[in-house]
Amino acid sequence: MEPITWDDFAKIDIRTGTIIAAEVFAEARKPAYKIRVDFGEAGIRTTSAQVTRLYRPEEIIGKQVVGVLNFPPKRIAGLNSEFLLLGAVNEEEVTLLTADKPVKNGLKIG
């Protein structure tokens, strides 16, 4: 991979948020959930996430996660995805990146 500068990294708006809703995204090509996350002052945002192998919708509600907020919105099977939910990808399994202690929603990662 090509190295980036601190200025490159500083352009990425990565923040903490709490999952407030999750449901099966039946319209998606690959198994996924529609997920809504409260990012505090940055607002409540929706995305799609392929995390169905390791999680059920009801067990991720309340988890504090990490997301990239400054990608442009993307249409996914009719859903307006408003952020990128971060996770560690292993083959076809995605493990959500979470805060190990409670933090305020909307805190910048840096």
Side-chain angles (χ1 to χ4, degrees):
M1 284 212 177
E2 181 181 330
I4 65 170
T5 66
W6 179 257
D7 288 339
D8 291 332
F9 178 73
K11 292 177 188 176
I12 306 169
D13 188 10
I14 307 171
R15 296 182 183 257
T16 58
T18 300
I19 296 176
I20 59 171
E23 62 185 77
V24 173
F25 187 11
E27 299 84 2
R29 258 186 321 117
K30 295 182 180 179
Y33 298 139
K34 290 181 192 177
I35 297 176
R36 291 181 50 82
V37 175
D38 180 353
F39 286 103
E41 293 178 5
I44 295 172
R45 299 190 184 204
T46 303
T47 195
S48 167
Q50 296 174 357
V51 296
T52 59
R53 287 184 179 244
L54 297 179
Y55 305 99
R56 292 187 317 273
E58 62 273 11
E59 68 185 357
I60 61 174
I61 294 172
K63 276 192 180 294
Q64 283 203 300
V65 292
V66 179
V68 176
L69 304 189
N70 61 335
F71 280 120
K74 182 178 180 179
R75 294 294 285 178
I76 301 171
L79 175 75
N80 196 33
S81 179
E82 301 170 309
F83 74 99
L84 174 66
L85 184 60
L86 295 180
V89 181
N90 176 16
E91 312 248 336
E92 292 190 25
E93 293 180 347
V94 179
T95 302
L96 294 171
L97 294 186
T98 60
D100 72 337
K101 302 224 186 289
V103 296
K104 181 179 174 184
N105 289 334
L107 289 182
K108 282 202 53 113
I109 305 296

